[in-house]
Amino acid sequence: MVLSEWVILRALLLGMSLLSAAPLAALAPAMAEDAPASSTPEPAVATDARLAGDGERTRLVVDLSHSVALGAFTLADPYRVVIDVPDVVFSLPATSGQEGRGLVTAYRFGLFAPRKGRIVMDLSAPVTIDKAFVLDPMDGQPARLVVDLVKVDRATFLKTVAAPVRSLPDTAAARPAPAAPGDVRPVVVIDPGHGGIDPGAANAAFGAVEKELTLKIGLMLRDKLEKTGRYRPVMTRDDDTYVALGERVKIAREAGARLFISLHADSLSARDGDVRGATIYTLSDRASDSEAQRLADSENKSDMIAGLDLSEEPADVAGILFDLAQRETRNFSAVFARTLANHVESTARMHKSPLKSAGFRVLRAPDVPSVLFELGYLSSRKDLELMTSEGWQSNVTDAMTTAINAYFVAQKPKDGPSGGLPGNLDEAVAGAHASPAAIRP
């Protein structure tokens, strides 16, 4: 089979890689996405949530400003309960869901797609959803979403696990507008990690959340790239909405991206609070070290955290993706990683091993040079102070912009003497210190 046929096959496989689950009909008449539009123009606001019960029966109660439809279903390995609600804005305390009770070890909440809220509960044992309903407001009390869970054996649980559905047409991320005729500027895709129901790393003591930090820096980088007039920046998300890992890759490929930059911020346990610094990752079949493997394992669970069931993803997809990751693409990824490290090191504190590699799902586009930029550690107070400083954010996005300029200047021309880039990029990087990353692969 020729390479082009493999690429087509890979695109088809990616199209099937997003999985959801069908609701339990006995518990809810329809999933949130199938529910009729609410007659209330304003979304419901979730203001409080609490758990009650023990290891045999546990109840989740969420206070809402008005009633909504809901859908509830279970997922296995790990045990989870997913609750979908349309048009809900979560205004819960920052610490909500971090501590479990009874059968629930923790829960998280957020937007799963535009105008679609989701709550995912992690479980300590298999359960059945005994009841799932919403009470109308009454006697000065708010509307209440109630979910009752009862412990069962695994065999009983597996009989009620929702069947995966191989498409999520309503939750696909918005696609960027196509380039205007004659617009030959290279597309740079900026991917703020996590989002919506998937908050990423957090430092609760200082109210810092990875999804918010990466979005803010991503938008700042986008604005600076647009200001140069040399690039067409595309965001995988520009608000607090969840985007599945496969969708992020598809956005880059469909946009014809020449570069993909995924932004993240790591966090370690309290005993590792002294570990700090930025790290730049590229894709590889084997992790460069145990730390890279830990991070890749964590980041690759994003879809599971958001309540997607990946248990029936074809086993050969990962192998095909790796096979299609062309050597030239990986070489260019490594070139940009070195270029970025070289230019950012004067602004950001770098990790003692700033260049690493591992099997990140979000970097698997076979024809788009891609890096994952861990800006620092939210668990490090010094890193946190820097990353949340507007001055640092401005400086690091300036350095990233200069690195992008240097990368495209160093590339072998593709569409003429300047590689199809408008303007004089050599002037843009004039004065920047020379980088060994300018070596062509």
Coordinates of all heavy atoms in Angstrom, one line a residue, residues 24-112:
L24 N -28.5 5.3 29.5 CA -29.4 4.2 30.0 C -30.8 4.7 29.9 O -31.2 5.6 30.6 CB -29.0 3.8 31.4 CG -27.5 3.4 31.6 CD1 -27.3 3.1 33.1 CD2 -27.3 2.2 30.7
A25 N -31.5 4.1 29.0 CA -32.9 4.6 28.7 C -33.8 4.6 29.9 O -34.6 5.4 30.1 CB -33.5 3.8 27.6
A26 N -33.6 3.6 30.8 CA -34.4 3.6 32.0 C -34.2 4.7 33.0 O -35.0 5.0 33.8 CB -34.2 2.2 32.7
L27 N -33.0 5.4 32.8 CA -32.7 6.4 33.8 C -32.9 7.8 33.3 O -33.1 8.7 34.0 CB -31.2 6.3 34.2 CG -30.8 5.0 34.8 CD1 -29.3 4.9 35.0 CD2 -31.5 4.8 36.2
A28 N -32.9 8.0 32.0 CA -33.1 9.3 31.4 C -33.7 9.1 30.0 O -33.3 8.3 29.3 CB -31.8 10.1 31.3
P29 N -34.7 9.9 29.7 CA -35.4 9.7 28.4 C -34.5 10.1 27.3 O -34.8 9.6 26.2 CB -36.6 10.7 28.5 CG -36.2 11.7 29.5 CD -35.3 11.0 30.5
A30 N -33.5 10.9 27.5 CA -32.7 11.3 26.3 C -31.4 11.8 26.9 O -31.3 12.3 28.0 CB -33.3 12.4 25.5
M31 N -30.3 11.7 26.1 CA -29.1 12.3 26.5 C -29.2 13.8 26.3 O -30.1 14.3 25.7 CB -27.9 11.9 25.5 CG -27.5 10.5 25.8 SD -26.5 10.3 27.3 CE -25.0 11.1 26.7
A32 N -28.3 14.6 27.0 CA -28.4 16.0 27.0 C -28.4 16.6 25.6 O -29.1 17.5 25.2 CB -27.3 16.6 27.8
E33 N -27.6 15.9 24.7 CA -27.4 16.5 23.3 C -28.7 16.2 22.5 O -28.9 16.8 21.5 CB -26.2 15.9 22.6 CG -26.1 14.4 22.6 CD -25.2 13.9 23.6 OE1 -25.3 14.4 24.8 OE2 -24.5 12.9 23.4
D34 N -29.6 15.2 23.0 CA -30.8 14.9 22.2 C -32.0 15.6 22.8 O -33.1 15.5 22.3 CB -31.0 13.4 22.2 CG -29.9 12.7 21.5 OD1 -29.4 13.2 20.5 OD2 -29.5 11.6 21.9
A35 N -31.8 16.3 23.9 CA -32.9 16.9 24.6 C -33.4 18.2 23.9 O -32.5 18.8 23.2 CB -32.5 17.3 26.0
P36 N -34.6 18.5 23.9 CA -35.1 19.7 23.2 C -34.5 20.9 23.8 O -34.1 20.9 25.0 CB -36.6 19.6 23.4 CG -36.8 18.8 24.6 CD -35.7 17.8 24.6
A37 N -34.4 22.0 23.0 CA -33.9 23.2 23.5 C -34.7 23.7 24.7 O -35.9 23.7 24.7 CB -33.8 24.2 22.4
S38 N -34.0 24.3 25.7 CA -34.7 24.8 26.9 C -35.5 26.0 26.5 O -35.0 26.8 25.7 CB -33.6 25.1 27.9 OG -34.3 25.8 29.0
S39 N -36.6 26.2 27.1 CA -37.4 27.4 26.9 C -36.9 28.6 27.6 O -37.2 29.7 27.3 CB -38.9 27.1 27.4 OG -38.9 26.8 28.8
T40 N -36.0 28.3 28.5 CA -35.3 29.4 29.2 C -34.1 29.9 28.5 O -33.2 29.1 28.2 CB -34.9 29.0 30.6 OG1 -36.0 28.5 31.3 CG2 -34.3 30.1 31.4
P41 N -34.0 31.2 28.1 CA -32.9 31.6 27.3 C -31.5 31.6 28.0 O -30.5 31.4 27.4 CB -33.3 33.0 26.9 CG -34.2 33.5 28.0 CD -35.0 32.2 28.4
E42 N -31.6 31.7 29.3 CA -30.3 31.8 30.0 C -29.9 30.4 30.5 O -30.8 29.6 30.9 CB -30.4 32.7 31.3 CG -30.6 34.1 30.9 CD -29.4 34.7 30.2 OE1 -28.3 34.3 30.5 OE2 -29.7 35.6 29.3
P43 N -28.6 30.0 30.5 CA -28.2 28.7 31.0 C -28.5 28.6 32.5 O -28.5 29.6 33.2 CB -26.8 28.6 30.6 CG -26.3 30.0 30.6 CD -27.5 30.8 30.0
A44 N -28.7 27.3 32.9 CA -28.7 27.1 34.4 C -27.4 27.3 35.0 O -26.3 27.0 34.4 CB -29.3 25.7 34.6
V45 N -27.3 27.8 36.2 CA -26.1 28.0 36.9 C -26.0 27.0 38.1 O -26.9 26.9 38.9 CB -26.0 29.4 37.5 CG1 -24.6 29.6 38.2 CG2 -26.1 30.4 36.4
A46 N -25.0 26.1 38.1 CA -24.7 25.2 39.2 C -23.9 26.0 40.3 O -22.8 26.4 40.0 CB -23.9 24.0 38.7
T47 N -24.5 26.1 41.4 CA -23.9 26.9 42.5 C -23.3 26.1 43.6 O -22.5 26.7 44.4 CB -25.0 27.9 43.1 OG1 -26.1 27.1 43.5 CG2 -25.5 28.8 42.0
D48 N -23.7 24.9 43.8 CA -23.2 24.1 44.9 C -23.4 22.6 44.6 O -24.2 22.2 43.8 CB -23.9 24.4 46.2 CG -23.2 23.9 47.4 OD1 -22.0 23.5 47.3 OD2 -23.8 23.8 48.5
A49 N -22.5 21.8 45.2 CA -22.6 20.3 45.0 C -22.1 19.6 46.2 O -21.2 20.1 46.9 CB -21.8 19.9 43.8
R50 N -22.7 18.5 46.5 CA -22.3 17.8 47.7 C -22.6 16.3 47.6 O -23.4 15.9 46.8 CB -23.0 18.3 48.9 CG -24.5 18.4 48.8 CD -25.1 19.4 49.7 NE -26.6 19.6 49.4 CZ -27.0 20.5 48.5 NH1 -26.2 21.2 47.7 NH2 -28.3 20.6 48.3
L51 N -21.8 15.5 48.3 CA -22.0 14.0 48.3 C -22.5 13.6 49.7 O -22.1 14.2 50.7 CB -20.6 13.3 48.1 CG -20.1 13.5 46.7 CD1 -18.6 13.0 46.6 CD2 -20.9 12.6 45.7
A52 N -23.3 12.6 49.7 CA -23.7 12.0 51.0 C -23.8 10.5 50.9 O -23.9 10.0 49.7 CB -25.1 12.6 51.4
G53 N -23.7 9.8 52.0 CA -23.9 8.3 51.9 C -22.6 7.6 52.4 O -21.7 8.2 53.0
D54 N -22.5 6.3 52.0 CA -21.4 5.5 52.4 C -21.0 4.5 51.3 O -21.3 4.8 50.2 CB -21.9 4.7 53.7 CG -23.2 3.9 53.4 OD1 -23.4 3.5 52.3 OD2 -23.9 3.6 54.4
G55 N -20.3 3.5 51.7 CA -19.7 2.6 50.7 C -20.7 1.7 50.0 O -20.4 0.9 49.1
E56 N -22.0 1.7 50.5 CA -23.1 0.9 49.9 C -24.0 1.7 49.0 O -24.5 1.3 48.0 CB -23.9 0.2 51.0 CG -23.0 -0.8 51.7 CD -22.5 -2.0 50.9 OE1 -23.2 -2.4 50.0 OE2 -21.4 -2.4 51.1
R57 N -24.2 3.0 49.4 CA -25.2 3.9 48.7 C -24.6 5.3 48.8 O -24.4 5.7 49.9 CB -26.6 3.7 49.2 CG -27.6 4.7 48.6 CD -29.0 4.5 49.1 NE -29.6 3.3 48.7 CZ -30.4 3.2 47.6 NH1 -30.6 4.3 46.8 NH2 -30.9 2.1 47.3
T58 N -24.5 6.0 47.7 CA -24.0 7.4 47.7 C -24.9 8.2 46.8 O -25.3 7.8 45.8 CB -22.5 7.4 47.2 OG1 -21.7 6.5 48.0 CG2 -22.0 8.8 47.3
R59 N -25.1 9.5 47.3 CA -25.9 10.4 46.5 C -25.1 11.7 46.2 O -24.4 12.2 47.0 CB -27.1 10.8 47.3 CG -27.9 12.0 46.8 CD -29.2 12.2 47.5 NE -30.2 11.3 47.0 CZ -31.5 11.3 47.4 NH1 -31.9 12.4 48.2 NH2 -32.4 10.4 47.0
L60 N -25.2 12.1 44.9 CA -24.7 13.4 44.5 C -25.8 14.4 44.3 O -26.8 14.1 43.6 CB -23.9 13.3 43.2 CG -23.5 14.7 42.6 CD1 -22.4 15.3 43.4 CD2 -23.0 14.5 41.1
V61 N -25.7 15.6 44.9 CA -26.7 16.6 44.8 C -26.1 17.9 44.2 O -25.0 18.3 44.8 CB -27.5 16.9 46.1 CG1 -28.5 18.0 45.9 CG2 -28.1 15.7 46.6
V62 N -26.6 18.5 43.2 CA -26.1 19.7 42.6 C -27.2 20.7 42.6 O -28.3 20.5 42.1 CB -25.6 19.5 41.2 CG1 -25.0 20.8 40.6 CG2 -24.5 18.4 41.2
D63 N -27.0 21.9 43.2 CA -28.0 23.0 43.2 C -27.9 23.7 41.9 O -26.8 24.1 41.4 CB -27.7 23.9 44.4 CG -28.0 23.3 45.7 OD1 -28.7 22.2 45.7 OD2 -27.5 23.9 46.7
L64 N -29.1 24.0 41.3 CA -29.1 24.7 40.0 C -30.1 25.8 40.1 O -31.0 25.8 40.9 CB -29.6 23.7 38.9 CG -28.8 22.4 38.6 CD1 -29.6 21.5 37.7 CD2 -27.5 22.8 38.0
S65 N -29.9 26.8 39.2 CA -30.8 28.0 39.2 C -32.1 27.7 38.6 O -33.1 28.3 38.9 CB -30.1 29.2 38.5 OG -29.8 28.8 37.1
H66 N -32.2 26.7 37.7 CA -33.4 26.2 37.2 C -33.3 24.8 36.7 O -32.1 24.3 36.5 CB -34.0 27.1 36.1 CG -33.2 27.3 34.9 ND1 -33.1 26.3 33.9 CD2 -32.4 28.3 34.5 CE1 -32.3 26.7 33.0 NE2 -31.8 27.9 33.3
S67 N -34.4 24.1 36.4 CA -34.3 22.7 36.0 C -33.7 22.6 34.6 O -33.8 23.5 33.7 CB -35.8 22.2 36.0 OG -36.3 22.2 37.3
V68 N -33.1 21.4 34.4 CA -32.5 21.0 33.1 C -32.8 19.6 32.8 O -33.2 18.8 33.7 CB -31.0 21.3 33.1 CG1 -30.7 22.8 33.2 CG2 -30.3 20.5 34.1
A69 N -32.7 19.2 31.6 CA -32.7 17.7 31.3 C -31.4 17.1 31.6 O -30.4 17.8 31.8 CB -33.0 17.6 29.8
L70 N -31.3 15.8 31.8 CA -30.1 15.2 32.0 C -30.0 13.8 31.4 O -31.1 13.2 31.1 CB -29.8 15.1 33.5 CG -30.6 14.1 34.4 CD1 -30.1 12.7 34.4 CD2 -30.6 14.6 35.9
G71 N -28.8 13.3 31.2 CA -28.6 11.9 30.8 C -27.5 11.4 31.7 O -26.6 12.1 32.1
A72 N -27.6 10.1 32.1 CA -26.6 9.5 33.0 C -26.3 8.1 32.5 O -27.2 7.3 32.0 CB -27.2 9.4 34.4
F73 N -25.0 7.8 32.5 CA -24.6 6.4 32.1 C -23.3 6.1 32.8 O -22.6 6.9 33.4 CB -24.4 6.3 30.6 CG -23.4 7.3 30.0 CD1 -22.1 7.0 29.8 CD2 -23.9 8.6 29.6 CE1 -21.2 7.9 29.2 CE2 -23.0 9.5 29.0 CZ -21.7 9.2 28.9
T74 N -22.9 4.8 32.7 CA -21.7 4.3 33.4 C -20.6 3.9 32.4 O -21.0 3.5 31.3 CB -22.0 3.1 34.3 OG1 -22.6 2.1 33.5 CG2 -22.9 3.5 35.5
L75 N -19.4 4.0 32.8 CA -18.3 3.5 32.0 C -17.4 2.6 32.9 O -17.2 2.9 34.1 CB -17.5 4.7 31.5 CG -18.2 5.6 30.4 CD1 -17.3 6.8 30.1 CD2 -18.5 4.9 29.2
A76 N -16.7 1.7 32.2 CA -15.9 0.7 33.0 C -14.4 1.0 32.7 O -14.0 1.6 31.8 CB -16.2 -0.7 32.5
D77 N -13.6 0.4 33.7 CA -12.1 0.3 33.6 C -11.5 1.7 33.2 O -10.9 1.8 32.1 CB -11.8 -0.7 32.5 CG -12.4 -2.1 32.9 OD1 -12.4 -2.4 34.1 OD2 -12.8 -2.8 32.0
P78 N -11.5 2.6 34.0 CA -11.9 2.6 35.4 C -13.4 2.9 35.5 O -14.1 3.3 34.6 CB -11.1 3.7 36.1 CG -10.9 4.7 35.0 CD -10.7 3.9 33.7
Y79 N -14.0 2.5 36.7 CA -15.4 2.7 37.0 C -15.7 4.2 37.0 O -15.1 5.0 37.8 CB -15.8 2.1 38.3 CG -15.6 0.6 38.3 CD1 -14.8 0.0 39.4 CD2 -16.1 -0.3 37.4 CE1 -14.6 -1.4 39.4 CE2 -15.9 -1.6 37.4 CZ -15.2 -2.2 38.5 OH -14.9 -3.5 38.5
R80 N -16.7 4.6 36.2 CA -17.1 6.0 36.2 C -18.6 6.2 36.0 O -19.2 5.3 35.4 CB -16.4 6.8 35.1 CG -14.9 7.1 35.3 CD -14.2 7.4 33.9 NE -14.1 6.2 33.2 CZ -13.9 6.1 31.8 NH1 -13.8 7.3 31.2 NH2 -13.8 5.0 31.2
V81 N -19.2 7.2 36.5 CA -20.5 7.6 36.1 C -20.5 9.0 35.5 O -19.8 9.9 36.0 CB -21.4 7.7 37.4 CG1 -22.8 8.4 37.0 CG2 -21.7 6.3 37.9
V82 N -21.1 9.1 34.3 CA -21.1 10.4 33.6 C -22.5 10.9 33.5 O -23.5 10.2 33.3 CB -20.6 10.1 32.1 CG1 -20.6 11.4 31.3 CG2 -19.2 9.5 32.1
I83 N -22.6 12.2 33.8 CA -23.9 12.9 33.8 C -23.8 14.1 32.8 O -23.0 15.0 33.0 CB -24.3 13.4 35.2 CG1 -24.3 12.2 36.1 CG2 -25.6 14.2 35.2 CD1 -24.3 12.5 37.6
D84 N -24.6 14.1 31.8 CA -24.6 15.1 30.8 C -25.8 16.0 31.0 O -27.0 15.6 31.2 CB -24.7 14.5 29.4 CG -23.3 14.0 28.9 OD1 -22.3 14.5 29.5 OD2 -23.2 13.2 28.0
V85 N -25.6 17.3 31.0 CA -26.6 18.3 31.2 C -26.4 19.5 30.2 O -25.3 20.0 30.0 CB -26.6 18.9 32.6 CG1 -27.2 17.9 33.6 CG2 -25.2 19.2 33.1
P86 N -27.5 19.9 29.5 CA -27.3 21.0 28.5 C -27.4 22.3 29.2 O -28.0 22.5 30.2 CB -28.5 20.8 27.6 CG -29.6 20.2 28.5 CD -28.8 19.3 29.5
D87 N -26.7 23.3 28.6 CA -26.8 24.7 29.1 C -26.6 24.9 30.5 O -27.5 25.5 31.2 CB -28.1 25.3 28.6 CG -28.0 25.7 27.1 OD1 -26.9 25.7 26.6 OD2 -29.1 26.0 26.5
V88 N -25.5 24.4 31.1 CA -25.2 24.6 32.5 C -23.9 25.3 32.6 O -22.9 24.9 32.0 CB -25.2 23.2 33.3 CG1 -24.6 23.4 34.7 CG2 -26.6 22.6 33.4
V89 N -23.9 26.3 33.4 CA -22.6 27.0 33.7 C -22.3 26.6 35.2 O -23.1 26.8 36.1 CB -22.8 28.6 33.6 CG1 -21.6 29.3 34.1 CG2 -23.2 29.0 32.2
F90 N -21.1 26.1 35.3 CA -20.6 25.7 36.7 C -20.0 26.8 37.4 O -19.0 27.4 37.0 CB -19.7 24.5 36.5 CG -20.3 23.3 36.0 CD1 -20.3 23.0 34.7 CD2 -21.0 22.4 36.9 CE1 -20.9 21.8 34.2 CE2 -21.6 21.3 36.4 CZ -21.6 21.0 35.0
S91 N -20.6 27.2 38.5 CA -20.0 28.2 39.4 C -19.8 27.6 40.8 O -20.3 28.2 41.8 CB -21.0 29.4 39.4 OG -20.4 30.5 40.2
L92 N -19.2 26.5 40.8 CA -19.0 25.8 42.1 C -17.7 26.2 42.7 O -16.8 26.7 42.0 CB -18.9 24.3 41.8 CG -20.1 23.7 41.1 CD1 -19.9 22.2 40.9 CD2 -21.4 23.9 41.9
P93 N -17.5 26.1 44.0 CA -16.2 26.4 44.6 C -15.1 25.6 44.0 O -15.3 24.5 43.5 CB -16.4 25.9 46.1 CG -17.9 26.0 46.3 CD -18.5 25.6 45.0
A94 N -13.9 26.2 44.0 CA -12.8 25.6 43.3 C -12.4 24.3 43.8 O -11.9 23.4 43.1 CB -11.6 26.6 43.4
T95 N -12.7 24.0 45.1 CA -12.3 22.7 45.7 C -13.4 21.6 45.5 O -13.1 20.5 45.9 CB -12.0 22.9 47.2 OG1 -13.2 23.5 47.8 CG2 -10.8 23.8 47.4
S96 N -14.5 22.0 44.8 CA -15.5 21.0 44.7 C -15.0 19.8 43.9 O -14.4 19.9 42.9 CB -16.7 21.6 43.9 OG -17.3 22.6 44.7
G97 N -15.4 18.6 44.4 CA -15.0 17.4 43.7 C -13.7 16.8 44.0 O -13.4 15.7 43.7
Q98 N -12.9 17.5 44.7 CA -11.5 17.0 45.0 C -11.5 16.0 46.1 O -10.6 15.1 46.1 CB -10.6 18.2 45.4 CG -10.4 19.2 44.3 CD -9.4 20.3 44.7 OE1 -8.8 20.3 45.7 NE2 -9.3 21.3 43.8
E99 N -12.5 16.0 47.0 CA -12.6 15.0 48.0 C -13.9 14.2 47.8 O -15.0 14.7 47.6 CB -12.6 15.6 49.4 CG -11.3 16.3 49.8 CD -11.4 16.9 51.2 OE1 -12.4 16.6 51.9 OE2 -10.4 17.5 51.6
G100 N -13.7 12.9 47.9 CA -14.9 12.0 47.6 C -15.5 11.6 48.9 O -15.2 12.0 50.0
R101 N -16.6 10.7 48.7 CA -17.3 10.2 49.9 C -18.0 8.9 49.4 O -18.5 8.9 48.3 CB -18.3 11.2 50.5 CG -19.0 10.7 51.7 CD -19.8 11.8 52.4 NE -20.5 11.3 53.5 CZ -21.1 12.0 54.5 NH1 -21.1 13.3 54.3 NH2 -21.7 11.5 55.5
G102 N -18.1 8.0 50.3 CA -18.8 6.7 49.9 C -18.2 6.1 48.7 O -17.0 5.8 48.6
L103 N -19.0 5.9 47.7 CA -18.6 5.2 46.5 C -17.9 6.1 45.5 O -17.3 5.6 44.5 CB -19.8 4.6 45.8 CG -20.5 3.4 46.5 CD1 -21.9 3.2 46.0 CD2 -19.7 2.2 46.5
V104 N -17.9 7.4 45.7 CA -17.3 8.4 44.8 C -16.0 8.8 45.4 O -15.9 9.4 46.5 CB -18.2 9.6 44.6 CG1 -17.6 10.6 43.7 CG2 -19.6 9.1 44.0
T105 N -14.9 8.6 44.6 CA -13.6 9.0 45.1 C -13.3 10.5 44.8 O -12.5 11.2 45.5 CB -12.5 8.2 44.5 OG1 -12.5 8.2 43.1 CG2 -12.6 6.7 44.9
A106 N -13.9 11.0 43.7 CA -13.7 12.4 43.3 C -14.7 12.6 42.1 O -15.2 11.7 41.5 CB -12.3 12.7 42.8
Y107 N -14.9 13.9 41.8 CA -15.7 14.2 40.6 C -15.2 15.5 40.0 O -14.6 16.3 40.7 CB -17.2 14.2 40.9 CG -17.6 15.3 41.9 CD1 -18.0 16.6 41.4 CD2 -17.8 15.0 43.2 CE1 -18.4 17.6 42.3 CE2 -18.2 16.0 44.1 CZ -18.5 17.3 43.7 OH -18.9 18.3 44.5
R108 N -15.5 15.7 38.7 CA -15.1 16.9 38.0 C -16.2 17.3 37.1 O -17.1 16.6 36.8 CB -13.8 16.7 37.2 CG -13.9 15.5 36.3 CD -12.5 15.0 35.9 NE -12.5 13.7 35.2 CZ -12.5 12.6 35.9 NH1 -12.3 12.6 37.2 NH2 -12.6 11.4 35.3
F109 N -16.2 18.6 36.7 CA -17.3 19.2 36.0 C -16.8 20.2 35.0 O -15.7 20.8 35.2 CB -18.3 19.8 37.0 CG -17.6 20.6 38.0 CD1 -17.4 22.0 37.8 CD2 -17.2 20.1 39.2 CE1 -16.7 22.7 38.7 CE2 -16.6 20.8 40.2 CZ -16.3 22.2 39.9
G110 N -17.6 20.5 34.0 CA -17.2 21.6 33.1 C -17.9 21.3 31.7 O -18.7 20.4 31.6
L111 N -17.5 22.2 30.8 CA -18.1 22.0 29.4 C -17.5 20.9 28.7 O -16.2 20.8 28.6 CB -18.0 23.3 28.6 CG -18.8 24.5 29.1 CD1 -18.5 25.7 28.2 CD2 -20.3 24.1 29.0
F112 N -18.3 20.0 28.2 CA -17.8 18.9 27.3 C -17.8 19.3 25.9 O -17.1 18.8 25.1 CB -18.7 17.7 27.6 CG -18.3 16.5 26.7 CD1 -17.1 15.9 26.9 CD2 -19.2 16.0 25.8 CE1 -16.8 14.8 26.1 CE2 -18.9 14.9 25.0 CZ -17.7 14.3 25.2

